[in-house]
Coordinates of all heavy atoms in Angstrom, one line a residue:
M435 N 2.2 6.8 41.1 CA 3.6 6.4 41.0 C 3.6 4.9 40.8 O 3.2 4.1 41.6 CB 4.3 6.8 42.3 CG 5.8 6.6 42.3 SD 6.6 7.9 41.3 CE 6.3 9.4 42.3
F436 N 4.1 4.5 39.6 CA 4.2 3.1 39.2 C 5.6 2.6 39.3 O 6.6 3.4 39.0 CB 3.6 2.9 37.8 CG 2.2 3.2 37.7 CD1 1.7 4.5 37.3 CD2 1.2 2.3 38.1 CE1 0.4 4.8 37.2 CE2 -0.2 2.6 38.0 CZ -0.6 3.8 37.5
A437 N 5.8 1.3 39.6 CA 7.1 0.7 39.5 C 6.9 -0.8 39.2 O 5.9 -1.4 39.5 CB 7.8 0.8 40.8
L438 N 7.9 -1.3 38.5 CA 7.9 -2.8 38.2 C 8.4 -3.5 39.5 O 9.1 -2.9 40.3 CB 8.8 -3.1 37.0 CG 8.2 -2.7 35.6 CD1 9.3 -2.7 34.6 CD2 7.1 -3.7 35.3
P439 N 8.1 -4.8 39.6 CA 8.6 -5.6 40.7 C 10.1 -5.6 40.7 O 10.7 -5.4 39.6 CB 8.1 -7.0 40.5 CG 7.0 -6.8 39.4 CD 7.3 -5.6 38.7
V440 N 10.7 -5.8 41.9 CA 12.2 -5.9 42.0 C 12.6 -7.3 42.5 O 12.1 -7.6 43.6 CB 12.8 -4.8 42.9 CG1 14.3 -4.9 42.9 CG2 12.3 -3.4 42.6
P441 N 13.3 -8.1 41.8 CA 13.8 -7.9 40.5 C 12.7 -8.1 39.4 O 11.8 -8.9 39.6 CB 14.9 -8.9 40.3 CG 14.5 -10.1 41.1 CD 13.7 -9.4 42.3
H442 N 12.9 -7.4 38.3 CA 11.9 -7.6 37.2 C 12.7 -8.5 36.2 O 13.7 -8.1 35.6 CB 11.5 -6.3 36.5 CG 10.6 -6.5 35.3 ND1 10.8 -5.8 34.1 CD2 9.5 -7.3 35.2 CE1 9.9 -6.2 33.3 NE2 9.1 -7.1 33.9
T443 N 12.3 -9.8 36.0 CA 13.0 -10.7 35.1 C 11.9 -11.3 34.2 O 10.7 -11.2 34.4 CB 13.7 -11.8 35.9 OG1 12.7 -12.5 36.7 CG2 14.7 -11.3 36.8
W444 N 12.4 -11.9 33.1 CA 11.5 -12.5 32.1 C 12.2 -13.7 31.5 O 13.4 -13.8 31.5 CB 11.0 -11.5 31.1 CG 12.2 -10.8 30.4 CD1 12.8 -11.2 29.3 CD2 12.8 -9.6 30.8 NE1 13.8 -10.3 29.0 CE2 13.8 -9.3 29.9 CE3 12.6 -8.7 31.9 CZ2 14.7 -8.2 30.0 CZ3 13.5 -7.6 32.0 CH2 14.5 -7.3 31.0
E445 N 11.4 -14.6 30.9 CA 12.0 -15.7 30.2 C 12.6 -15.2 28.9 O 12.0 -14.4 28.2 CB 10.9 -16.7 29.8 CG 10.3 -17.5 31.0 CD 11.4 -18.3 31.7 OE1 12.2 -19.0 31.1 OE2 11.5 -18.2 33.0
P446 N 13.8 -15.6 28.6 CA 14.4 -15.2 27.3 C 13.5 -15.5 26.1 O 12.9 -16.6 26.1 CB 15.7 -16.0 27.2 CG 16.0 -16.4 28.6 CD 14.7 -16.5 29.3
T447 N 13.3 -14.6 25.3 CA 12.4 -14.7 24.1 C 13.1 -14.3 22.9 O 13.5 -13.2 22.7 CB 11.1 -13.8 24.3 OG1 10.6 -14.1 25.6 CG2 10.1 -14.1 23.2
P448 N 13.3 -15.3 21.9 CA 14.1 -15.0 20.7 C 13.5 -13.7 20.0 O 12.3 -13.6 19.8 CB 13.9 -16.2 19.8 CG 13.6 -17.3 20.8 CD 12.8 -16.7 21.9
G449 N 14.4 -12.9 19.7 CA 14.0 -11.7 18.9 C 13.5 -10.5 19.6 O 13.1 -9.5 19.1
V450 N 13.4 -10.7 21.0 CA 12.8 -9.6 21.8 C 13.6 -9.3 23.0 O 14.1 -10.3 23.6 CB 11.4 -10.0 22.3 CG1 10.7 -8.9 23.1 CG2 10.5 -10.3 21.1
T451 N 13.8 -8.1 23.4 CA 14.3 -7.7 24.7 C 13.7 -6.4 25.2 O 12.9 -5.8 24.5 CB 15.9 -7.7 24.7 OG1 16.3 -7.6 26.1 CG2 16.4 -6.4 23.9
L452 N 14.1 -6.0 26.3 CA 13.5 -4.7 26.9 C 14.7 -3.8 27.3 O 15.8 -4.3 27.6 CB 12.7 -5.0 28.2 CG 11.5 -5.9 28.0 CD1 10.9 -6.3 29.4 CD2 10.4 -5.2 27.2
L453 N 14.5 -2.5 27.3 CA 15.4 -1.6 27.8 C 14.7 -0.4 28.4 O 13.5 -0.2 28.2 CB 16.5 -1.2 26.8 CG 16.1 -0.2 25.6 CD1 17.4 0.3 25.0 CD2 15.3 -1.0 24.6
G454 N 15.4 0.4 29.2 CA 14.8 1.6 29.8 C 13.7 1.2 30.7 O 13.7 0.2 31.4
D455 N 12.7 2.1 30.8 CA 11.6 1.9 31.8 C 10.9 0.6 31.5 O 10.3 0.1 32.5 CB 10.7 3.1 31.8 CG 11.1 4.3 32.6 OD1 12.3 4.2 33.1 OD2 10.4 5.2 32.7
A456 N 10.8 0.2 30.3 CA 10.1 -1.1 30.0 C 10.8 -2.2 30.8 O 10.1 -3.2 31.1 CB 10.1 -1.3 28.5
A457 N 12.1 -2.1 31.0 CA 12.8 -3.2 31.7 C 12.8 -3.0 33.2 O 12.9 -4.0 34.0 CB 14.2 -3.3 31.2
H458 N 12.8 -1.7 33.6 CA 13.1 -1.5 35.1 C 12.4 -0.2 35.6 O 13.1 0.7 36.2 CB 14.6 -1.5 35.4 CG 15.4 -0.7 34.4 ND1 15.3 0.6 34.2 CD2 16.4 -1.2 33.5 CE1 16.2 1.0 33.3 NE2 16.8 -0.1 32.8
L459 N 11.1 0.0 35.3 CA 10.4 1.2 35.7 C 10.5 1.3 37.3 O 10.2 0.4 38.0 CB 9.0 1.2 35.3 CG 8.1 2.4 35.8 CD1 8.6 3.7 35.1 CD2 6.7 2.1 35.5
M460 N 11.0 2.5 37.7 CA 11.2 2.6 39.2 C 10.8 4.1 39.6 O 10.8 5.0 38.7 CB 12.6 2.3 39.6 CG 13.7 3.2 39.0 SD 15.4 2.7 39.3 CE 15.5 1.3 38.1
S461 N 10.6 4.3 40.8 CA 10.3 5.7 41.3 C 11.6 6.5 41.2 O 12.7 6.0 41.2 CB 9.8 5.7 42.7 OG 10.9 5.8 43.6
P462 N 11.4 7.9 41.0 CA 12.6 8.7 40.9 C 13.1 9.1 42.3 O 13.9 10.1 42.4 CB 12.1 9.9 40.2 CG 10.7 10.0 40.5 CD 10.2 8.6 40.7
F463 N 12.8 8.3 43.4 CA 13.1 8.8 44.7 C 14.5 8.3 45.2 O 14.8 8.5 46.4 CB 12.0 8.3 45.7 CG 10.8 9.2 45.8 CD1 9.9 9.1 44.8 CD2 10.7 10.2 46.7 CE1 8.8 10.0 44.8 CE2 9.6 11.0 46.8 CZ 8.6 10.9 45.8
F464 N 15.2 7.6 44.4 CA 16.6 7.2 44.8 C 17.6 8.3 44.5 O 18.0 9.0 45.3 CB 16.9 5.8 44.2 CG 18.2 5.2 44.6 CD1 18.6 5.2 45.9 CD2 19.0 4.6 43.7 CE1 19.8 4.6 46.3 CE2 20.2 4.0 44.1 CZ 20.6 4.0 45.4
S465 N 17.9 8.4 43.2 CA 18.8 9.5 42.8 C 18.5 9.8 41.4 O 19.4 10.3 40.7 CB 20.2 9.1 43.1 OG 20.5 7.8 42.5
G466 N 17.3 9.5 40.9 CA 17.0 9.9 39.5 C 17.9 9.1 38.5 O 18.7 9.6 37.8
M467 N 17.7 7.8 38.5 CA 18.6 6.9 37.7 C 17.9 6.5 36.4 O 18.6 5.9 35.5 CB 18.9 5.6 38.5 CG 19.7 5.9 39.8 SD 21.4 6.1 39.5 CE 21.9 4.5 39.1
G468 N 16.6 6.6 36.2 CA 15.9 6.0 35.1 C 16.5 6.3 33.8 O 16.7 5.5 32.9
A469 N 16.6 7.6 33.5 CA 17.1 8.0 32.1 C 18.5 7.6 31.9 O 18.9 7.2 30.8 CB 16.9 9.5 32.0
N470 N 19.3 7.7 33.0 CA 20.7 7.3 32.9 C 20.8 5.8 32.6 O 21.6 5.4 31.7 CB 21.5 7.6 34.2 CG 21.5 9.1 34.4 OD1 22.2 9.8 33.7 ND2 20.8 9.7 35.3
L471 N 20.0 5.0 33.3 CA 20.0 3.6 33.0 C 19.5 3.3 31.6 O 20.1 2.4 30.9 CB 19.1 2.8 34.0 CG 19.7 2.7 35.5 CD1 18.6 2.2 36.4 CD2 20.9 1.8 35.5
A472 N 18.5 4.0 31.1 CA 18.0 3.7 29.8 C 19.1 4.0 28.7 O 19.2 3.2 27.8 CB 16.8 4.6 29.6
M473 N 19.8 5.1 28.9 CA 20.9 5.4 27.9 C 22.0 4.3 28.0 O 22.5 3.9 27.0 CB 21.5 6.7 28.2 CG 20.5 7.8 27.8 SD 21.2 9.5 27.9 CE 21.2 9.8 29.7
R474 N 22.3 3.9 29.2 CA 23.3 2.8 29.4 C 22.9 1.5 28.8 O 23.6 0.8 28.1 CB 23.6 2.7 30.9 CG 24.8 1.8 31.2 CD 26.1 2.4 30.8 NE 27.2 1.5 30.8 CZ 27.9 1.1 31.9 NH1 27.8 1.8 33.0 NH2 28.9 0.2 31.8
D475 N 21.6 1.2 29.0 CA 21.0 0.0 28.4 C 21.2 0.0 26.8 O 21.6 -1.0 26.2 CB 19.5 -0.1 28.7 CG 19.2 -0.3 30.1 OD1 20.1 -0.6 30.9 OD2 18.0 -0.1 30.5
G476 N 20.8 1.2 26.2 CA 20.9 1.3 24.8 C 22.4 1.1 24.3 O 22.6 0.4 23.3
A477 N 23.3 1.7 25.0 CA 24.7 1.6 24.6 C 25.2 0.1 24.8 O 25.9 -0.4 23.9 CB 25.6 2.5 25.5
D478 N 24.8 -0.5 25.9 CA 25.2 -1.9 26.1 C 24.6 -2.9 25.0 O 25.3 -3.8 24.6 CB 24.9 -2.4 27.5 CG 25.8 -1.8 28.5 OD1 26.9 -1.3 28.2 OD2 25.4 -1.8 29.7
L479 N 23.4 -2.6 24.7 CA 22.7 -3.5 23.7 C 23.4 -3.3 22.3 O 23.7 -4.3 21.6 CB 21.2 -3.2 23.6 CG 20.4 -4.0 22.6 CD1 20.6 -5.5 22.9 CD2 18.9 -3.6 22.7
A480 N 23.7 -2.0 22.0 CA 24.3 -1.8 20.7 C 25.7 -2.5 20.7 O 26.1 -3.1 19.7 CB 24.5 -0.3 20.5
Q481 N 26.4 -2.4 21.8 CA 27.8 -3.0 21.8 C 27.6 -4.5 21.7 O 28.4 -5.1 20.9 CB 28.5 -2.6 23.1 CG 29.9 -3.1 23.1 CD 30.7 -2.6 24.3 OE1 30.3 -1.8 25.1 NE2 31.9 -3.1 24.4
A482 N 26.7 -5.1 22.4 CA 26.5 -6.6 22.3 C 26.2 -7.0 20.9 O 26.7 -8.0 20.4 CB 25.4 -7.0 23.3
L483 N 25.4 -6.2 20.2 CA 25.0 -6.6 18.8 C 26.2 -6.5 17.9 O 26.2 -7.3 16.9 CB 23.9 -5.6 18.3 CG 22.5 -5.9 19.0 CD1 21.5 -4.7 18.7 CD2 21.9 -7.2 18.4
T484 N 27.2 -5.7 18.2 CA 28.4 -5.6 17.3 C 29.4 -6.7 17.7 O 30.2 -7.1 16.9 CB 29.1 -4.3 17.5 OG1 29.6 -4.1 18.8 CG2 28.2 -3.1 17.1
E485 N 29.3 -7.3 18.9 CA 30.3 -8.3 19.4 C 29.9 -9.7 19.2 O 30.7 -10.6 19.4 CB 30.6 -8.0 20.9 CG 31.4 -6.7 21.1 CD 31.6 -6.4 22.5 OE1 31.0 -7.1 23.4 OE2 32.4 -5.5 22.8
H486 N 28.6 -10.0 19.0 CA 28.1 -11.4 18.9 C 27.6 -11.7 17.5 O 27.1 -10.9 16.8 CB 27.0 -11.6 20.0 CG 27.5 -11.5 21.4 ND1 28.0 -12.6 22.1 CD2 27.7 -10.4 22.2 CE1 28.4 -12.2 23.3 NE2 28.3 -10.9 23.4
A487 N 27.8 -13.0 17.2 CA 27.5 -13.5 15.9 C 26.0 -13.4 15.6 O 25.6 -13.2 14.4 CB 28.0 -14.9 15.7
T488 N 25.1 -13.7 16.6 CA 23.7 -13.6 16.3 C 23.0 -12.7 17.3 O 23.5 -12.4 18.4 CB 23.0 -15.0 16.6 OG1 23.1 -15.3 18.0 CG2 23.8 -16.1 15.8
A489 N 21.9 -12.2 16.9 CA 21.1 -11.3 17.7 C 20.7 -11.9 19.0 O 20.7 -11.3 20.1 CB 19.9 -10.8 17.0
D490 N 20.4 -13.2 19.0 CA 20.0 -13.9 20.2 C 21.1 -14.0 21.2 O 21.0 -13.8 22.4 CB 19.4 -15.3 19.9 CG 18.0 -15.2 19.3 OD1 17.4 -14.2 19.4 OD2 17.6 -16.2 18.7
D491 N 22.3 -14.3 20.7 CA 23.5 -14.3 21.6 C 23.8 -12.9 22.2 O 24.1 -12.8 23.4 CB 24.8 -14.8 20.8 CG 24.8 -16.2 20.5 OD1 23.9 -17.0 21.1 OD2 25.6 -16.7 19.7
A492 N 23.6 -11.9 21.4 CA 23.8 -10.5 21.9 C 22.8 -10.2 22.9 O 23.2 -9.6 24.0 CB 23.7 -9.5 20.7
V493 N 21.5 -10.6 22.8 CA 20.5 -10.3 23.8 C 20.8 -11.0 25.1 O 20.6 -10.5 26.2 CB 19.1 -10.6 23.2 CG1 18.1 -10.6 24.3 CG2 18.7 -9.5 22.2
T494 N 21.2 -12.3 24.9 CA 21.6 -13.0 26.1 C 22.7 -12.3 26.9 O 22.6 -12.2 28.2 CB 22.0 -14.5 25.8 OG1 20.9 -15.1 25.1 CG2 22.4 -15.3 27.0
A495 N 23.7 -11.9 26.2 CA 24.8 -11.2 26.9 C 24.4 -9.9 27.5 O 24.7 -9.5 28.6 CB 26.0 -11.0 25.9
Y496 N 23.6 -9.1 26.8 CA 23.0 -7.9 27.3 C 22.2 -8.0 28.5 O 22.3 -7.3 29.5 CB 22.3 -7.2 26.1 CG 21.2 -6.2 26.5 CD1 21.6 -4.9 27.0 CD2 19.9 -6.5 26.5 CE1 20.7 -4.0 27.4 CE2 18.9 -5.6 26.9 CZ 19.3 -4.3 27.3 OH 18.4 -3.4 27.7
E497 N 21.3 -9.0 28.5 CA 20.4 -9.2 29.7 C 21.2 -9.6 30.9 O 20.7 -9.3 32.0 CB 19.3 -10.2 29.3 CG 18.3 -9.6 28.3 CD 17.2 -10.5 27.9 OE1 17.2 -11.7 28.2 OE2 16.2 -10.0 27.2
K498 N 22.3 -10.3 30.7 CA 23.1 -10.7 31.9 C 23.7 -9.4 32.6 O 24.0 -9.4 33.8 CB 24.3 -11.6 31.5 CG 23.9 -13.0 31.3 CD 25.1 -13.9 31.1 CE 24.7 -15.3 30.8 NZ 25.6 -16.0 30.0
I499 N 23.9 -8.4 31.8 CA 24.4 -7.1 32.4 C 23.2 -6.3 32.9 O 23.3 -5.7 34.0 CB 25.2 -6.3 31.3 CG1 26.4 -7.0 30.8 CG2 25.6 -4.9 31.9 CD1 27.0 -6.4 29.6
L500 N 22.2 -6.2 32.1 CA 21.1 -5.3 32.4 C 20.4 -5.6 33.7 O 20.1 -4.7 34.5 CB 20.1 -5.5 31.2 CG 18.6 -4.9 31.5 CD1 18.6 -3.5 31.2 CD2 17.6 -5.7 30.7
I501 N 20.1 -6.8 34.0 CA 19.2 -7.2 35.1 C 19.9 -6.9 36.4 O 19.3 -6.1 37.2 CB 18.6 -8.6 35.0 CG1 17.6 -8.6 33.8 CG2 17.9 -9.0 36.3 CD1 17.1 -9.9 33.4
P502 N 21.1 -7.4 36.7 CA 21.7 -7.0 38.0 C 22.0 -5.6 38.2 O 21.8 -5.0 39.3 CB 23.0 -7.8 38.0 CG 23.1 -8.5 36.7 CD 21.9 -8.3 35.9
R503 N 22.3 -4.9 37.1 CA 22.6 -3.4 37.2 C 21.3 -2.7 37.7 O 21.3 -1.8 38.5 CB 23.1 -2.8 35.9 CG 23.3 -1.3 36.0 CD 24.0 -0.8 34.8 NE 23.2 -1.0 33.6 CZ 23.7 -1.2 32.4 NH1 25.0 -1.3 32.2 NH2 22.9 -1.4 31.3
S504 N 20.2 -3.0 37.0 CA 18.9 -2.3 37.4 C 18.4 -2.7 38.7 O 17.7 -1.8 39.4 CB 17.9 -2.5 36.3 OG 17.7 -3.8 36.0
V505 N 18.7 -3.9 39.2 CA 18.1 -4.3 40.5 C 18.7 -3.4 41.6 O 17.9 -3.0 42.5 CB 18.5 -5.8 40.8 CG1 18.4 -6.1 42.3 CG2 17.6 -6.7 40.0
E506 N 19.9 -3.1 41.5 CA 20.5 -2.2 42.6 C 19.8 -0.9 42.7 O 19.4 -0.4 43.8 CB 22.0 -2.0 42.3 CG 22.7 -1.3 43.5 CD 24.2 -1.1 43.2 OE1 24.7 -1.7 42.2 OE2 24.8 -0.3 43.9
A507 N 19.6 -0.3 41.5 CA 18.9 1.1 41.5 C 17.5 0.9 41.9 O 16.9 1.8 42.6 CB 19.0 1.7 40.1
A508 N 16.8 -0.2 41.4 CA 15.4 -0.3 41.7 C 15.1 -0.6 43.2 O 14.1 -0.1 43.8 CB 14.8 -1.4 40.9
E509 N 16.1 -1.3 43.9 CA 15.9 -1.6 45.3 C 16.0 -0.2 46.0 O 15.2 0.1 47.0 CB 17.0 -2.5 45.8 CG 16.7 -4.0 45.4 CD 17.8 -4.9 45.8 OE1 19.0 -4.5 46.1 OE2 17.6 -6.1 45.8
G510 N 17.0 0.6 45.7 CA 17.1 1.9 46.3 C 15.9 2.8 46.1 O 15.4 3.5 47.0
A511 N 15.4 2.7 44.8 CA 14.2 3.5 44.5 C 13.0 3.1 45.3 O 12.2 3.9 45.8 CB 13.9 3.4 43.0
A512 N 12.8 1.8 45.5 CA 11.7 1.3 46.3 C 11.8 1.7 47.8 O 10.9 2.1 48.4 CB 11.6 -0.3 46.2
E513 N 13.1 1.6 48.3 CA 13.3 2.1 49.7 C 13.0 3.6 49.8 O 12.5 4.1 50.7 CB 14.7 1.8 50.1 CG 15.0 0.4 50.5 CD 16.4 0.1 50.8 OE1 17.2 1.1 51.1 OE2 16.9 -1.0 50.7
G514 N 13.5 4.3 48.7 CA 13.4 5.8 48.7 C 11.9 6.2 48.7 O 11.5 7.2 49.5
V515 N 11.1 5.6 47.9 CA 9.7 6.0 47.9 C 9.0 5.7 49.2 O 8.1 6.4 49.7 CB 8.9 5.4 46.6 CG1 8.6 4.0 46.8 CG2 7.7 6.3 46.3
D516 N 9.3 4.5 49.8 CA 8.7 4.2 51.1 C 9.1 5.3 52.1 O 8.3 5.7 52.9 CB 9.2 2.8 51.6 CG 8.6 1.7 50.8 OD1 7.6 1.9 50.1 OD2 9.1 0.6 50.9
G517 N 10.4 5.7 52.1 CA 10.9 6.7 53.1 C 10.2 8.0 52.9 O 9.9 8.7 53.8
A518 N 10.0 8.4 51.6 CA 9.5 9.7 51.3 C 8.1 9.9 51.8 O 7.7 11.0 52.1 CB 9.5 9.9 49.8
F519 N 7.3 8.8 51.9 CA 5.9 8.9 52.4 C 5.8 8.3 53.8 O 4.6 8.1 54.2 CB 5.0 8.2 51.4 CG 4.9 8.9 50.1 CD1 5.6 8.5 49.0 CD2 4.3 10.2 50.0 CE1 5.6 9.1 47.8 CE2 4.3 10.9 48.8 CZ 4.9 10.3 47.6
A520 N 6.9 8.1 54.5 CA 6.8 7.6 55.9 C 6.5 8.7 56.8 O 6.8 9.9 56.5 CB 8.1 6.9 56.3
P521 N 5.9 8.4 58.0 CA 5.7 9.5 59.0 C 6.9 10.3 59.3 O 6.8 11.5 59.6 CB 5.1 8.8 60.2 CG 4.7 7.5 59.7 CD 5.5 7.1 58.5
D522 N 8.1 9.7 59.3 CA 9.3 10.4 59.7 C 10.1 10.7 58.4 O 11.4 10.7 58.4 CB 10.2 9.5 60.6 CG 10.6 8.2 60.0 OD1 10.1 7.8 59.0 OD2 11.6 7.6 60.5
S523 N 9.4 11.1 57.3 CA 10.1 11.3 56.1 C 11.1 12.4 56.1 O 12.2 12.3 55.5 CB 9.1 11.5 54.9 OG 8.5 12.7 55.1
A524 N 10.8 13.5 56.9 CA 11.8 14.6 57.0 C 13.1 14.1 57.6 O 14.2 14.4 57.1 CB 11.2 15.7 57.8
E525 N 13.0 13.3 58.7 CA 14.2 12.8 59.4 C 15.0 11.9 58.5 O 16.2 12.0 58.4 CB 13.8 12.1 60.7 CG 13.3 13.0 61.8 CD 11.8 13.3 61.7 OE1 11.2 12.9 60.7 OE2 11.3 13.9 62.6
Q526 N 14.3 11.0 57.7 CA 14.9 10.1 56.8 C 15.7 10.9 55.7 O 16.8 10.5 55.3 CB 13.9 9.1 56.2 CG 13.4 8.1 57.1 CD 12.8 6.9 56.4 OE1 13.2 6.5 55.3 NE2 11.7 6.3 57.0
T527 N 15.0 11.9 55.2 CA 15.6 12.7 54.1 C 16.8 13.4 54.6 O 17.9 13.4 53.9 CB 14.6 13.7 53.5 OG1 13.4 13.0 53.1 CG2 15.2 14.5 52.4
L528 N 16.8 14.0 55.8 CA 17.9 14.7 56.4 C 19.1 13.7 56.6 O 20.2 14.0 56.3 CB 17.5 15.3 57.7 CG 18.6 16.1 58.4 CD1 19.0 17.3 57.5 CD2 18.1 16.6 59.7
A529 N 18.8 12.5 57.1 CA 19.8 11.5 57.3 C 20.5 11.1 56.0 O 21.7 10.9 55.9 CB 19.2 10.3 58.0
H530 N 19.6 10.9 55.0 CA 20.2 10.5 53.6 C 21.1 11.6 53.1 O 22.2 11.3 52.6 CB 19.0 10.3 52.7 CG 19.4 9.9 51.3 ND1 19.9 8.7 51.0 CD2 19.4 10.6 50.2 CE1 20.2 8.6 49.7 NE2 19.9 9.8 49.2
M531 N 20.6 12.9 53.2 CA 21.4 14.0 52.7 C 22.7 14.1 53.4 O 23.8 14.4 52.9 CB 20.6 15.3 52.7 CG 19.4 15.3 51.9 SD 19.8 15.3 50.1 CE 18.2 15.3 49.4
T532 N 22.6 14.0 54.8 CA 23.8 14.1 55.6 C 24.8 13.1 55.3 O 26.1 13.3 55.3 CB 23.4 14.0 57.1 OG1 22.4 15.0 57.3 CG2 24.6 14.3 58.0
A533 N 24.4 11.8 55.0 CA 25.3 10.7 54.7 C 26.0 10.9 53.4 O 27.0 10.3 53.1 CB 24.5 9.4 54.7
H534 N 25.5 11.8 52.5 CA 26.1 12.0 51.2 C 26.8 13.4 51.1 O 26.9 14.0 50.1 CB 25.1 11.8 50.1 CG 24.7 10.4 50.0 ND1 23.7 9.9 50.8 CD2 25.1 9.4 49.2 CE1 23.5 8.6 50.5 NE2 24.3 8.3 49.5
Ligands
FAD1660 C1 9.0 12.8 38.3 C2 10.2 12.0 37.6 C3 11.5 12.5 37.8 C4 12.5 11.8 37.2 N1 13.8 12.2 37.4 C5 14.8 11.6 36.8 C6 16.2 12.1 36.9 O1 16.5 13.1 37.6 N2 17.2 11.4 36.3 C7 16.9 10.3 35.6 O2 17.9 9.7 35.1 N3 15.7 9.8 35.4 C8 14.6 10.4 36.0 N4 13.3 10.0 35.8 C9 13.1 8.7 35.0 C10 13.2 9.0 33.5 O3 12.3 10.0 33.1 C11 12.8 7.7 32.8 O4 13.5 6.6 33.4 C12 13.2 7.7 31.3 O5 12.4 8.7 30.7 C13 12.9 6.4 30.6 O6 13.2 6.5 29.3 P1 12.5 5.4 28.3 O7 13.0 5.8 26.9 O8 12.8 4.0 28.8 O9 11.0 5.6 28.4 P2 10.1 6.9 28.1 O10 10.8 8.2 28.3 O11 8.8 6.7 28.8 O12 9.9 6.8 26.5 C14 8.9 5.8 26.0 C15 8.3 6.5 24.7 O13 7.5 5.5 24.0 C16 6.3 6.1 23.6 N5 5.3 5.1 23.4 C17 4.6 4.4 24.4 N6 3.8 3.5 23.8 C18 4.0 3.6 22.5 C19 3.5 2.9 21.3 N7 2.5 2.0 21.5 N8 3.9 3.2 20.1 C20 4.9 4.2 19.9 N9 5.4 4.9 21.0 C21 5.0 4.6 22.2 C22 6.0 7.1 24.7 O14 5.2 8.1 24.2 C23 7.4 7.7 25.1 O15 7.8 8.8 24.3 C24 12.3 10.6 36.4 C25 10.9 10.2 36.2 C26 9.9 10.9 36.8 C27 8.5 10.4 36.6

């Protein structure tokens, strides 16, 4: 089970950005957010490219949305995978399910 560090950030690089798992690979132990985030990333990047005069401006605007959004899910996924393999994982899972 692999995951990127939380937060996963990078120096802005002209002409390049990341989306989906390349930007925020996380365990599926939170609520299965990876594919949903990847689709949202693609939609936001496409929208930014239509709204900004240059591709670099669009990527800057997109990354301002992308990174904070993925951090919230990645933090939950990191906690979730720790809990899933903890000695009291059954109790933690029951508490999580009961809370929702
Ligand atoms: C067990 C498990 C359960 C999950 N459950 C959920 C869930 O319930 N809900 C949810 O939203 N998400 C879930 N996910 C996460 C979800 O599968 C991923 O977040 C999502 O597939 C990421 O999409 P992506 O397009 O970014 O990357 P990927 O789906 O990994 O697509 C990347 C593609 O690039 C290709 N590729 C790689 N290298 C190259 C290369 N050099 N040249 C050309 N092509 C290349 C790969 O073959 C692949 O097809 C789960 C993941 C796992 C492992």
Side-chain angles (χ1 to χ4, degrees):
M435 188 74 64
F436 295 95
L438 282 165
V440 185
H442 179 226
T443 59
W444 55 88
E445 290 300 316
T447 306
V450 179
T451 191
L452 298 172
L453 72 166
D455 278 6
H458 43 64
L459 179 66
M460 64 190 75
S461 88
F463 277 81
F464 184 41
S465 53
M467 297 281 287
N470 294 289
L471 288 170
M473 290 188 284
R474 188 71 195 270
D475 297 345
D478 285 343
L479 179 57
Q481 186 172 354
L483 286 165
T484 65
E485 290 177 350
H486 293 270
T488 70
D490 286 344
D491 287 348
V493 164
T494 300
Y496 158 74
E497 289 178 352
K498 277 188 187 152
I499 300 168
L500 162 84
I501 291 172
R503 176 172 63 214
S504 53
V505 162
E506 185 181 348
E509 284 174 345
E513 283 174 23
V515 76
D516 285 347
F519 293 104
D522 64 342
S523 65
E525 289 84 354
Q526 287 197 37
T527 302
L528 183 60
H530 179 76
M531 297 294 178
T532 305
H534 292 82

